[in-house]
Every structure is written in C-alpha cells, then in structure tokens.
Amino acid sequence: MVNDRFLSFALLEENLCIDESITPYFGRHPSKQFLKGKPLRCGYKSWSLCNKDGYLIQFEPYQGKTARIAQDKLLGVGGSAVIQLISALPKTHYNSMLIDSSQV
C-alpha cells in the first residue's frame, strides 16, 4: 500500500536511480543488518527506486536469501530486485525493456 501511494504522487521521469539504502536501527530484531566499516552500521537494508530529486518511488525491504524478490539465477539478488522495482512503473511513461534471463 505504501508503494502504491509513493507511485501515485511521484513525478515520473525518464532517468531513475536504483540503489540499496539503510534505515538506522539499534534495537533487537532478526531482520536488522550489521555492516562493519560503514557510517551507519546497524539498521534495515532496502532496495530503493528514486527520481533525480531523491523522491522515493518504490522500495523493497531486504529480507535475506528467503526474500519476496523472486531471485533469478542468472541475474542474482541485485538484478532481480531491479526487475521487480521497475515492473511496478506505468508502461506509458517508459520504454520498458525487461530482460529475459535466458538471453543474458
């Protein structure tokens, strides 16, 4: 529901950015990640799709190997996350070219 709201108010542009982000959290929870040597060492990791102004359009929390992201063997976790995030975008604004993993 949150992703639907983000998408409904987004200023859709041709150039978008997909990256990992971390939300700081220092309490106890099994989904918390610890990244040694990073400025934000503890928190929740997520995949984020943003426009050039930094507006969050879509996100998917990282849940480890048993994630909701259907991992493709050839694309890996990162490539599968990209495919899932861009699949929610409206087809009218973009020249969508989804990758068929058999052609990679």
Side-chain angles (χ1 to χ4, degrees):
M1 183 172 81
V2 175
N3 278 334
D4 292 337
R5 294 288 172 104
F6 286 151
L7 186 59
S8 68
F9 292 107
L11 297 173
L12 298 174
E13 303 169 349
E14 186 175 339
N15 299 318
L16 299 173
C17 176
I18 297 177
D19 200 3
E20 294 177 323
S21 61
I22 191 160
T23 304
Y25 179 74
F26 297 99
R28 295 172 127 178
H29 195 273
S31 297
K32 183 179 74 171
Q33 298 286 312
F34 178 77
L35 304 169
K36 185 178 178 181
K38 297 287 185 177
L40 291 173
R41 291 179 291 183
C42 297
Y44 295 110
K45 192 189 283 188
S46 63
W47 295 95
S48 304
L49 172 68
C50 301
N51 66 10
K52 69 178 181 180
D53 298 324
Y55 182 82
L56 181 64
I57 299 170
Q58 294 282 300
F59 79 100
E60 181 68 33
Y62 177 75
Q63 299 173 15
K65 292 182 179 179
T66 59
R68 291 189 307 182
I69 296 175
Q71 183 177 351
D72 189 317
K73 298 256 186 213
L74 293 174
L75 296 176
V77 176
S80 299
V82 169
I83 297 299
Q84 181 173 349
L85 288 172
I86 65 171
S87 67
L89 295 174
K91 307 299 185 241
T92 58
H93 287 84
Y94 302 96
N95 295 330
S96 61
M97 186 179 89
L98 294 179
I99 299 170
D100 181 12
S101 62
S102 63
Q103 298 175 357
V104 176

